[in-house]
């Protein structure tokens, strides 16, 4: 047992060392979260003092077509891009986890592109999808498909962004690969001896073992795709005809172009609630389905 | 830290029979997908060296007929782009962010790894919960705060927060620090080491690889960040690369200068390529341990 004096001394050092984070947390996280809650109940344009309007902003949001459109756009992107990316990165991880030549090269070539994100990636893909001279339409032309006006056509702009998102699946693939390599070989051998086929072995042995990784990737993927901004800002400016008017882009326009900080704060808070609820729900559901090694306290 | 899992990628052990049919199919799929993943990079490289006339030729030429090295020169000479200045800004922000993140996060992680106190567990849960906190949810008050401090259109709002530790990095470093044997610290104490020296002279020198990982990832995040710079920076000479490059699209060129933009993109991914080729292991480790790309 430690003496009281010693543990008090230890406590002082603890708070001494974590103080940078504690200050940063209060100034750059806690205060902004509370302040944006306050602003969300006000009309605020930075020049005049915030004016309290109760639930006025939330009420307006409810009838705001642009807001609902941004929700729709973001959910559409999320529900298509996230599951597909997750699925593909798992499949490629499993392919690379086989006994095949050049595994190292495949692995590197798959995950290097995921390091190139942001504007460089957006510009590159804007050019790849160029209707006249882009690589993508050239590829399609080899199959006799007419040029598609990707980012100029509201039917295709979103799909172009979804295709772009696959380029970043290497990071997820790498995480799955690490998970797959943690699956004990003797379990796979045992399944094989028991006469289980590939699919059965995957479904009953491998997948349960990597399900925590899967879950984590799912949560991170959802949270990231709720926050898509770069593509909308760089490539589409929300168009054509608002078909890529993402949620965070909508916040940005309302706050920093229309100077409606209160209104935008209300949207920020809705985003915060959405992220919290989704994380919580997935964690809850996962308690039932996800296998954690060493069992779980109940 | 599971160095073992990160070392050589061991294939799942199978009996040494002939190569299976499924493996061949898998190999072919991987080959096609890998080529598809690499092709846009080749397209970027090839376009960056084309003349304005050649870049619009359809079908695109693979190797430029005439290597237009001038594209790269143009980026730095053209007064309307200010590429050199913006490159420098990005380097300043990224390096300052790396320094801030490495020192503050390792300092805090040391506290979480080595000391227990009332509330220490709760505070660590709080650290983890901020991992989920979306930046757009807090950006407006942060923006108003920095604007009131008179820091609008300056690089400081992009740098300052990094000196107050990043949750991901605290998490990553704490995992590593916890694995350092207690005996080392006891020995250090007996030799009369003060707590700060235990951090500075004992923990940091032992943590080279994990600190390299932290440095690489904070560099890349800062280097690629667009949203925060867009909020704070107004004048072209204060832009970081991402805004500067996005602005090239909407600038006064008659034809969108795709060759220049690809040259700019290439130069902007250059530091990442360099880091990647000298420290590939650290990339893999960072991705696998944090689960963040």
């Amino acid at each position: 047992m430690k003496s009281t004096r010693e543990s008090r001394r230890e406590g002082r050092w603890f708070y001494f060392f974590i103080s940078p984070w504690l200050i940063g947390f209060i100034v750059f996280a806690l205060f902004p979260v509370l302040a944006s809650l306050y602003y969300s109940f006000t009309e605020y344009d930075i020049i005049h003092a915030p004016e309290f309007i109760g639930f006025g902003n939330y009420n307006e949001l409810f009838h705001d077509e642009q807001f609902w459109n941004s929700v729709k756009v973001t959910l559409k992107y999320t529900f298509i891009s996230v599951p597909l990316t997750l699925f593909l990165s798992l499949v490629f991880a499993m392919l690379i986890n086989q006994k095949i030549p050049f595994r190292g090269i495949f692995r590197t070539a798959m995950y290097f592109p995921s390091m190139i994100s942001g504007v460089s990636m957006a510009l590159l893909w804007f050019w790849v999808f160029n209707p006249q001279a882009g690589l993508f339409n050239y590829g399609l032309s080899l199959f006799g498909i007419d040029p598609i006006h990707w980012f100029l056509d509201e039917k295709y702009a979103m799909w172009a962004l979804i295709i772009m998102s696959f380029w970043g699946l290497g990071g997820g693939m790498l995480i799955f690969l690490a998970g797959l390599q943690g699956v004990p070989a003797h379990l796979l051998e045992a399944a094989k001896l028991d006469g289980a086929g590939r699919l059965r072995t995957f479904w009953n042995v491998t997948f349960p073992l990597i399900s925590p990784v899967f879950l984590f990737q799912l949560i991170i993927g959802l949270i990231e795709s709720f926050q898509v901004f770069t593509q909308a800002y760089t490539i589409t400016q929300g168009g054509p005809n608002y078909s890529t008017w993402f949620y965070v882009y909508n916040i940005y326009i309302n706050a920093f172009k229309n100077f409606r900080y209160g209104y935008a704060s209300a949207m920020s808070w809705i985003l915060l609630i959405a992220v919290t609820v989704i994380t919580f729900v997935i964690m809850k559901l996962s308690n039932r389905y996800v296998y954690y090694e060493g069992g779980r306290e109940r | 830290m599971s160095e073992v899992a990160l070392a050589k990628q061991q294939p799942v052990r199978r009996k040494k029979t002939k190569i299976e049919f499924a493996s061949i199919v898998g190999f072919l799929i991987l080959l096609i997908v890998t080529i598809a993943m690499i092709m846009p990079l080749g397209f970027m490289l090839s376009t960056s060296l084309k003349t304005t006339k050649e870049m619009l030729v359809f079908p695109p030429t693979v190797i430029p007929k005439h290597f237009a090295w001038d594209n790269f020169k143009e980026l730095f000479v053209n007064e309307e782009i200010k590429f050199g200045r913006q490159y420098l800004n990005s380097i300043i922000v990224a390096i300052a962010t790396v320094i801030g993140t490495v020192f503050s996060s390792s300092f805090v992680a040391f506290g979480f790894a080595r000391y227990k106190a009332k509330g220490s567990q709760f505070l660590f849960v709080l650290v983890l919960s901020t991992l989920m906190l979306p930046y757009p949810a807090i950006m407006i008050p942060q923006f108003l705060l920095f604007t009131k401090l008179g820091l609008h259109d300056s690089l400081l709002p992009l740098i300052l927060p990094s000196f107050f530790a990043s949750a991901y990095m605290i998490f990553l470093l704490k995992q590593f620090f916890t694995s350092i044997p207690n005996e080392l610290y006891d020995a250090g104490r007996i030799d009369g080491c003060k707590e700060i020296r235990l951090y500075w002279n004992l923990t940091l020198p032992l943590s080279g690889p994990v600190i390299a990982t932290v440095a690489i990832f904070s560099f890349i995040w800062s280097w690629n960040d667009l949203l925060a710079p867009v909020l704070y920076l107004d004048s072209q000479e204060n832009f970081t690369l991402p805004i500067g490059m996005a602005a090239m699209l909407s600038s006064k060129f008659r034809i969108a200068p795709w060759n220049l933009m690809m040259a700019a993109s290439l130069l902007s991914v250059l530091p990442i390529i360099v880091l990647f080729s000298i420290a590939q292991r650290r990339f893999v480790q960072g991705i696998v341990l944090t689960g963040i790309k």
Side-chain angles (χ1 to χ4, degrees):
Chain A
M1 280 300 273
K2 283 175 186 162
S3 69
T4 326
R5 222 183 97 221
E6 206 176 316
S7 71
R8 205 179 288 156
R9 187 181 151 277
E10 195 180 336
R12 272 207 302 275
W13 281 114
F14 172 76
Y15 281 100
F16 169 73
F17 276 107
I18 70 153
S19 58
W21 172 77
L22 205 56
I23 296 166
F25 172 74
I26 292 166
V27 177
F28 298 119
L30 188 63
F31 158 74
V33 164
L34 297 177
S36 77
L37 180 63
Y38 165 71
Y39 288 134
S40 77
F41 293 110
T42 67
E43 185 81 64
Y44 186 34
D45 63 0
I46 212 171
I47 299 165
H48 307 90
E51 184 196 338
F52 189 80
I53 54 165
F55 281 92
N57 287 325
Y58 292 96
N59 198 22
E60 189 182 337
L61 274 179
F62 198 76
H63 302 285
D64 181 348
E65 220 172 283
Q66 193 123 302
F67 168 76
W68 286 112
N69 177 55
S70 76
V71 171
K72 209 184 76 194
V73 164
T74 307
L75 288 181
K76 181 177 171 188
Y77 178 82
T78 302
F79 287 141
I80 299 173
S81 157
V82 173
L84 278 177
T85 309
L86 215 55
F87 172 74
L88 289 175
S89 44
L90 180 57
V91 168
F92 294 145
M94 286 167 64
L95 289 179
I96 288 188
N97 196 35
Q98 294 185 90
K99 212 185 205 167
I100 49 167
F102 307 121
R103 303 169 68 230
I105 294 175
F106 284 140
R107 196 172 53 121
T108 306
M110 296 275 273
Y111 87 88
F112 180 69
S114 72
M115 288 291 115
I116 300 170
S117 53
V119 174
S120 310
M121 182 194 76
L123 282 184
L124 169 58
W125 281 88
F126 200 176
W127 176 227
V128 167
F129 280 121
N130 183 286
Q132 280 86 39
L135 190 62
F136 210 91
N137 275 355
Y138 172 66
L140 292 181
S141 76
L142 298 179
F143 297 96
I145 298 171
D146 287 337
I148 295 172
H149 290 254
W150 292 98
F151 289 118
L152 299 172
D153 188 331
E154 62 179 289
K155 283 206 299 289
Y156 291 107
M158 176 62 87
W159 288 102
L161 293 180
I162 289 167
I163 292 170
M164 250 173 86
S165 74
F166 297 152
W167 208 47
L169 60 76
M173 182 207 74
L174 213 56
I175 297 167
F176 279 130
L177 194 55
L180 289 172
Q181 278 155 7
V183 175
H186 68 262
L187 287 182
L188 298 174
E189 291 286 346
K192 204 173 177 185
L193 288 177
D194 287 346
R198 271 164 190 275
L199 212 64
R200 238 184 113 82
T201 309
F202 172 75
W203 199 242
N204 291 334
V205 181
T206 311
F207 191 73
L209 283 170
I210 60 165
S211 54
V213 181
F214 192 85
L215 176 78
F216 186 70
Q217 288 293 298
L218 178 65
I219 295 176
I220 295 288
L222 290 175
I223 293 178
E224 270 178 2
S225 81
F226 281 178
Q227 298 179 51
V228 168
F229 172 76
T230 304
Q231 295 90 315
Y233 177 87
T234 311
I235 304 177
T236 62
Q237 273 94 49
N241 195 19
Y242 301 102
S243 61
T244 60
W245 194 271
F246 281 92
Y247 193 89
V248 169
Y249 189 69
N250 195 31
I251 296 182
Y252 164 74
I253 293 290
N254 273 287
F256 299 97
K257 293 288 164 202
N258 302 342
F259 305 108
R260 298 195 60 195
Y261 294 103
Y263 194 53
S265 293
M267 285 182 247
S268 293
W269 250 81
I270 292 173
L271 175 69
L272 185 62
I273 291 168
V275 166
T276 314
V277 167
I278 286 195
T279 309
F280 188 76
V281 167
I282 296 177
M283 298 291 255
K284 271 278 166 233
L285 282 178
S286 77
N287 272 341
R288 224 184 288 172
Y289 300 112
V290 173
Y291 170 84
Y292 289 100
E293 224 162 316
R296 215 170 32 240
E297 288 160 50
R298 292 217 169 227
Chain B
M1 185 149 320
S2 54
E3 283 285 339
V4 186
L6 300 167
K8 276 283 165 206
Q9 307 283 345
Q10 293 293 336
V12 176
R13 235 188 299 135
R14 284 214 194 87
K15 272 176 264 168
K16 279 182 192 146
T17 48
K18 56 189 186 308
I19 299 168
E20 291 167 49
F21 173 71
S23 295
I24 297 173
V25 175
F27 181 81
L28 290 177
I29 294 174
L30 279 177
L31 192 66
I32 293 166
V33 172
T34 307
I35 291 171
M37 296 287 263
I38 294 300
M39 252 178 5
L41 289 174
F43 193 49
M44 166 154 77
L45 178 65
S46 131
T47 307
S48 73
L49 288 167
K50 284 178 185 174
T51 57
T52 308
K53 210 171 128 198
E54 195 182 352
M55 80 184 181
L56 295 171
V57 169
F58 190 86
T61 48
V62 180
I63 297 166
K65 286 194 200 81
H66 163 76
F67 285 96
W69 294 105
D70 279 358
N71 291 342
F72 289 90
K73 203 174 115 197
E74 173 80 8
L75 284 176
F76 291 93
V77 180
N78 192 324
E79 277 300 304
E80 284 186 16
I81 306 180
K82 296 195 170 68
F83 186 78
R85 181 63 200 262
Q86 292 163 3
Y87 210 94
L88 189 66
N89 289 340
S90 269
I91 289 179
I92 293 171
V93 172
I95 289 183
T97 303
V98 167
I99 294 172
T101 310
V102 164
F103 287 109
S104 62
S105 303
S106 60
F107 198 75
V108 172
F110 182 79
F112 277 114
R114 299 255 62 107
Y115 304 102
K116 295 261 170 307
K118 231 186 208 166
S120 61
Q121 287 208 325
F122 167 76
L123 286 171
F124 194 65
V125 171
L126 209 55
V127 170
L128 294 183
S129 71
T130 61
L131 290 176
M132 304 291 165
L133 188 64
Y135 179 68
I138 54 173
M139 68 183 180
I140 292 170
Q142 265 194 26
F143 168 82
L144 296 172
L145 176 76
F146 280 121
T147 305
K148 275 180 187 141
L149 291 173
L151 294 176
H152 193 71
D153 202 20
S154 109
L155 300 177
L156 278 176
L158 309 177
I159 297 170
L160 275 180
S162 74
F163 281 81
F164 295 91
S166 131
Y168 287 117
M169 303 311 182
I170 295 174
F171 175 66
L172 185 63
L173 290 159
K174 189 216 163 200
Q175 300 295 96
F176 184 81
F177 292 168
T178 317
S179 74
I180 298 176
N182 265 323
E183 288 75 19
L184 277 179
Y185 289 96
D186 294 340
R189 284 211 182 88
I190 289 165
D191 290 347
C193 258
K194 289 267 153 44
E195 306 295 325
I196 295 187
R197 289 194 53 207
L198 291 178
Y199 158 72
W200 187 257
N201 292 358
L202 203 155
T203 309
L204 285 190
L206 284 174
S207 314
V210 70
I211 282 176
T213 306
V214 169
I216 285 172
F217 276 82
S218 46
F219 183 91
I220 291 177
W221 291 347
S222 156
W223 190 257
N224 287 332
D225 188 23
L226 174 71
L227 185 48
V230 160
L231 305 189
Y232 291 110
L233 306 176
D234 281 338
S235 44
Q236 213 191 351
E237 57 268 14
N238 286 338
F239 281 178
T240 54
L241 266 191
I243 325 180
M245 281 165 38
M248 280 172 81
L249 261 183
S250 47
S251 54
K252 302 151 197 130
F253 294 94
R254 201 169 50 83
I255 303 169
W258 285 109
N259 48 357
L260 291 187
M261 286 192 281
M262 288 306 106
S265 294
L266 198 65
L267 288 179
S268 94
V269 300
L270 199 63
I272 296 174
I273 295 177
V274 170
L275 281 177
F276 187 81
S277 45
I278 57 178
Q280 212 198 112
R281 264 173 63 86
R282 302 276 80 85
F283 274 78
V284 179
Q285 186 184 48
I287 291 174
V288 171
L289 292 181
T290 59
I292 312 299
K293 288 143 252 173

